[in-house]
Amino acid sequence: MNASPFWVLASNNPADLAHFYAALANENAIKKGAIWLVAFAGAGQLLFYCPSRQRPQPAQVGRLALCLPVTKLEQAIALALTLGGQLLEPSRQESFGREAWLADPEGNKLLLLEPAEVSQNQP
């Protein structure tokens, strides 16, 4: 089987979480049966599902996080906050660009990244 890999994210409310990520990435959230998915250009798909009550997936802190490249970091942060995200620490300049760590509406870590080539061209 040569299927393309994809990401899965357990969610208490897959529709809402899919719409959160779709809005931030300027993509569409698509319902496929019991799951929702967002296709990211050049980065594959992120599928959102509600875990079985017989095998729950409790929220947990980990090192895996989605990184969404953005062209205007402050606007992306504002949008994420409007959609129910939470800023975990102030944005900062790094050698590779400007970044901000957030939590999505269910507490999963999310990195918004304005790459260095974008931030150097901003007025």
Side-chain angles (χ1 to χ4, degrees), residues 86-98:
Q86 177 184 359
L87 189 62
L88 297 177
E89 53 187 69
S91 61
R92 65 175 175 251
Q93 182 69 47
E94 295 288 349
S95 60
F96 48 82
R98 296 173 55 232

Side-chain angles (χ1 to χ4, degrees), residues 20 24 75-86 102 105:
F20 172 85
L24 283 176
Q75 287 181 357
I77 293 170
L79 178 58
L81 298 177
T82 300
L83 295 169
Q86 177 184 359
L102 294 94

Side-chain angles (χ1 to χ4, degrees), residues 10-11 101:
S11 171
W101 281 98

